[in-house]
């Protein structure tokens, strides 16, 4: 399984914050936003990851994350000269995907909930077609909505429907078999000139190869694309961390607990940092 993080776009809804910096480098409480989607791929056991962003922002991501070797990962980077739809990721990342299945996550999505790592491990082990993740929302008219049958197979997908058939919004986390690249290559661009991820999903739906996983109650899915949403996500992470004494999307901890790095390597990463609550947290984990 390969991973892709789409961290492109101009982030216009967050201006003026994003005039000079990528949206996905803004802080969500105490960590850069990109840590959160990267942590999801790591929790799913994915170690070979491509990050896609604009040419002007890629050097910042390289400075922040490097080649991933400190975390037991293989990180590579690719340019998105112009944002032309989510499905463009599969064309940009075609060589990265090769003959493997791939999980794509949007760089401004935050996922957090009990048993998430186990869920990802179980579901991502074998993907034949499209595996999407749904989240119950109070106003599904604002989202792409998936309707499923009793066995979890997708029955329909609607974009911002006036009369939704379900309350399951489609999140920014998608897993596909390798033929997603060929499907993306054969898509007709939308009137806006974009390759729509919904069109990819509808191809798999027509083939009877699309499934939707309901993330369920007690789970948090947060889109940080607006000022209010960014603040809400930060408040959520702050409350959870302070009350539970854990760190959400702490990449070094995840790498250690997933077996990507040893306790000694995790301790060394913490020792390189200035003394902060973050580095002390890592020291306490490995003893």
């Amino acid at each position: 399984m390969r991973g892709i993080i789409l961290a492109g776009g101009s982030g216009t809804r967050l201006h003026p914050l994003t005039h000079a910096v990528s949206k996905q480098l803004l802080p969500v409480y105490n960590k850069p936003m990109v840590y959160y989607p990267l942590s999801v791929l790591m929790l799913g056991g994915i170690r070979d990851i491509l990050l896609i962003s604009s040419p002007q922002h890629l050097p910042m991501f390289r400075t922040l994350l490097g080649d991933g070797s400190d975390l037991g990962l293989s990180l590579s980077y690719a340019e998105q000269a112009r944002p032309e739809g989510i499905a463009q990721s599969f064309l940009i990342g075609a060589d990265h995907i090769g003959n493997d299945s791939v999980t794509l996550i949007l760089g401004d999505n935050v996922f957090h909930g009990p048993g998430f790592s186990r869920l990802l491990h179980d579901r991502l082990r074998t993907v034949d077609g499209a595996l999407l993740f749904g989240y119950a929302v109070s106003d599904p008219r604002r989202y792409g909505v998936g309707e499923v049958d009793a066995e979890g197979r997708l029955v329909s997908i609607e974009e911002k429907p006036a009369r939704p058939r379900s309350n399951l919004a489609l999140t920014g986390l998608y897993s596909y078999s390798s033929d997603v690249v060929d499907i993306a290559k054969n898509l007709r661009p939308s009137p806006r000139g974009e390759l729509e991820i919904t069109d990819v999903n509808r191809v798999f739906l027509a083939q009877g190869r699309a499934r939707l996983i309901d993330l369920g109650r007690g789970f948090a899915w947060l889109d940080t694309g607006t000022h209010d949403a960014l603040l809400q996500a930060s408040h959520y992470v702050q409350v959870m961390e302070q009350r539970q004494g854990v760190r959400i999307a702490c990449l070094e901890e995840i790498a250690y607990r997933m077996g990507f790095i040893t306790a000694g390597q995790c301790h060394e990463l913490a020792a390189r940092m200035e003394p902060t609550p973050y580095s002390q947290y890592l020291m306490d984990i490995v003893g």
Side-chain angles (χ1 to χ4, degrees), residues 128-151:
D128 178 18
L131 181 64
L132 311 178
F133 294 82
Y135 185 78
V137 295
S138 58
D139 186 7
R141 293 172 298 179
R142 298 170 48 208
Y143 303 91
V145 174
E147 179 189 9
V148 297
D149 63 16
E151 297 182 358

Side-chain angles (χ1 to χ4, degrees), residues 79-279:
E79 292 185 359
Q80 183 186 44
R82 294 179 305 278
E84 295 177 345
I86 295 173
Q88 186 188 26
S89 302
F90 305 118
L91 304 186
I92 296 173
D95 290 340
H96 170 72
I97 297 168
N99 295 319
D100 289 332
S101 54
V102 61
T103 294
L104 167 69
I105 187 167
L106 303 186
D108 61 357
N109 276 214
V110 175
F111 294 83
H112 180 251
F116 192 36
S117 181
R118 180 176 299 176
L119 170 68
L120 292 173
H121 264 281
D122 291 346
R123 297 295 186 171
L124 300 185
R125 194 170 301 163
T126 55
V127 177
D128 178 18
L131 181 64
L132 311 178
F133 294 82
Y135 185 78
V137 295
S138 58
D139 186 7
R141 293 172 298 179
R142 298 170 48 208
Y143 303 91
V145 174
E147 179 189 9
V148 297
D149 63 16
E151 297 182 358
R153 287 190 295 264
L154 266 177
V155 176
S156 69
I157 299 173
E158 299 176 287
E159 277 296 321
K160 299 181 179 179
R163 295 183 179 180
R165 298 180 183 179
S166 85
N167 67 340
L168 288 178
L170 301 179
T171 70
L173 178 62
Y174 320 85
S175 288
Y176 301 100
S177 48
S178 61
D179 53 337
V180 70
V181 175
D182 290 332
I183 289 172
K185 287 179 179 178
N186 290 305
L187 287 183
R188 178 178 297 177
S190 71
R192 296 184 301 175
E194 297 184 351
L195 299 178
E196 302 287 355
I197 196 69
T198 298
D199 292 337
V200 170
N201 295 332
R202 283 178 173 151
V203 171
F204 284 110
L205 176 62
Q207 296 174 352
R209 299 170 60 212
R211 299 185 68 85
L212 179 68
I213 305 300
D214 183 354
L215 291 173
R217 296 180 64 177
F219 200 92
W221 167 57
L222 304 165
D223 179 344
T224 57
T226 67
H227 295 98
D228 286 345
L230 180 61
L231 185 60
Q232 290 166 4
S234 292
H235 283 163
Y236 173 83
V237 174
Q238 178 191 34
V239 169
M240 295 299 293
E241 291 194 353
Q242 292 183 355
R243 292 197 176 187
Q244 296 186 347
V246 298
R247 298 273 174 175
I248 297 173
C250 177
L251 302 183
E252 297 85 358
E253 178 187 8
I254 294 171
Y256 165 59
R257 297 199 186 279
M258 294 294 295
F260 300 168
I261 60 175
T262 65
Q265 290 171 315
C266 186
H267 187 279
E268 181 182 348
L269 291 176
R272 291 184 203 168
M273 304 176 189
E274 293 294 326
T276 64
Y278 189 93
S279 60

